[in-house]
């Protein structure tokens, strides 16, 4: 007799479920948890390179304009060069230490853009240390990586002009001055100002004043 999920859950809660039923319930809980977290499970057999994907994988890859790969070689063909090196490093670390393989890398999409992936996997080895199977979870983290890149850019560059911001410019000037002092050389620094910038803001608006700043900066 096939039990409903509600009935099966009640039996498990009351301690009346059989071992196969408890295992089935555990699998169902894991499936629901992974779907809620946005994770996709994969299982790769080293001998064949075949990749078996978990529930929702094709739908998620389609959202990011990426075809679901059937083999490891097909998947690695989507990963950029630095990402392939990162996967290799993480996999070798996992093989030799028994710790999880954790890495992040970019894959190419079918529309010419890139998507970021966070990959966490367990590597299974044989008696002589060769990898026979890799089971892991991937998650698309493109939005997080874009936010991180944006914050890093703002920490270094002025958002309006695209040039070094005040703090980074001061640090760079200090380095240049130290180099000139050590090498007994000379250098130059040009400081330009815009007169009546406040009047521009007041009379024509901040957008116009910002455009004036951009035009002046690009003269240098």
């Amino acid at each position: 007799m096939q039990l409903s999920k509600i009935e099966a859950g009640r039996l498990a809660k009351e301690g009346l479920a059989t071992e196969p039923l408890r295992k089935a319930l555990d699998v169902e809980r894991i499936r629901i948890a992974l779907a809620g977290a946005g994770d996709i499970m994969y299982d790769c057999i080293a001998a064949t390179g075949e990749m078996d994907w978990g529930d929702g994988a094709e739908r998620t890859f389609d959202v990011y304009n990426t075809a679901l790969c059937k083999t490891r070689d097909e998947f690695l063909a989507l990963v950029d060069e630095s990402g392939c090196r990162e996967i290799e490093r993480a996999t070798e670390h996992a093989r030799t230490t028994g710790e999880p393989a954790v890495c992040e890398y970019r894959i190419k999409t079918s529309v010419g853009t890139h998507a970021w992936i966070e990959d966490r996997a367990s590597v299974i080895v044989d008696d002589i240390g060769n990898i026979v199977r890799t089971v892991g979870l991937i998650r698309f983290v493109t939005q997080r990586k874009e936010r991180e890149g944006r914050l890093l850019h703002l920490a270094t560059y002025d958002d309006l002009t695209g040039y070094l911001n005040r703090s980074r410019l001061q640090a760079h000037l200090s380095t240049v001055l130290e180099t000139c002092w050590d090498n007994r050389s000379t250098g130059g620094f040009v400081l330009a100002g815009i007169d009546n910038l406040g009047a521009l803001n007041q009379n024509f608006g901040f957008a116009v004043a910002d455009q004036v700043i951009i035009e002046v900066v690009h003269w240098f």
Side-chain angles (χ1 to χ4, degrees):
M1 179 179 67
Q2 185 175 4
L3 298 176
S4 68
K5 291 182 179 179
I6 295 177
E7 182 66 13
R10 183 185 65 79
L11 290 175
K13 184 176 181 180
E14 295 175 358
L16 301 176
T18 62
E19 185 63 24
L21 178 57
R22 279 193 291 270
K23 290 182 179 180
L25 288 171
D26 287 342
V27 171
E28 178 69 7
R29 292 189 187 100
I30 293 172
R31 187 189 68 79
I32 295 173
L34 291 178
D39 292 330
I40 305 170
M41 184 179 69
Y42 68 89
D43 188 350
C44 180
I45 305 300
T48 63
E50 182 180 358
M51 297 191 74
D52 183 26
W53 297 93
D55 292 348
E58 187 170 3
R59 181 174 63 255
T60 303
F61 271 78
D62 186 60
V63 168
Y64 287 90
N65 301 300
T66 307
L68 189 64
C69 300
K70 300 299 183 181
T71 67
R72 177 176 173 82
D73 287 343
E74 289 179 1
F75 184 77
L76 290 178
L78 300 177
V79 183
D80 61 22
E81 185 177 351
S82 62
C84 288
R85 291 196 299 268
E86 183 65 14
I87 292 173
E88 183 178 358
R89 179 205 62 76
T91 301
E92 179 61 17
H93 175 77
R95 185 188 70 82
T96 56
T97 65
E99 298 176 354
V102 181
C103 57
E104 292 182 349
Y105 48 84
R106 296 193 313 170
I107 62 171
K108 293 174 288 187
T109 70
S110 59
V111 294
T113 59
H114 289 87
W116 277 96
I117 282 181
E118 178 185 81
D119 192 336
R120 297 175 177 270
S122 294
V123 173
I124 302 171
V125 300
D126 59 18
D127 294 338
I128 59 175
N130 294 321
I131 298 175
V132 297
R133 185 178 179 187
T134 303
V135 181
L137 298 172
I138 66 169
R139 174 186 296 184
F140 283 87
V141 292
T142 304
Q143 292 181 339
R144 173 172 65 79
K145 295 295 290 187
E146 288 176 348
R147 287 195 301 270
E148 291 175 353
R150 177 66 175 165
L151 291 174
L152 180 61
H153 179 83
L154 291 176
T156 304
Y157 298 97
D158 177 68
D159 195 33
L160 179 62
T161 64
Y163 289 154
L164 291 175
N165 59 28
R166 182 188 298 271
S167 61
R168 294 298 299 174
L169 178 60
Q170 289 175 335
H172 183 66
L173 286 175
S174 295
T175 301
V176 172
L177 288 173
E178 290 176 3
T179 302
C180 290
W181 178 266
D182 293 339
N183 297 334
R184 299 183 182 279
S185 59
T186 59
F189 175 67
V190 177
L191 180 63
I194 302 175
D195 294 335
N196 300 318
L197 186 61
L200 286 175
N201 283 326
Q202 183 176 358
N203 295 324
F204 300 100
F206 288 98
V208 172
D210 287 347
Q211 189 60 42
V212 171
I213 294 173
I214 293 172
E215 292 296 330
V216 170
V217 166
H218 288 171
W219 287 343
F220 295 92

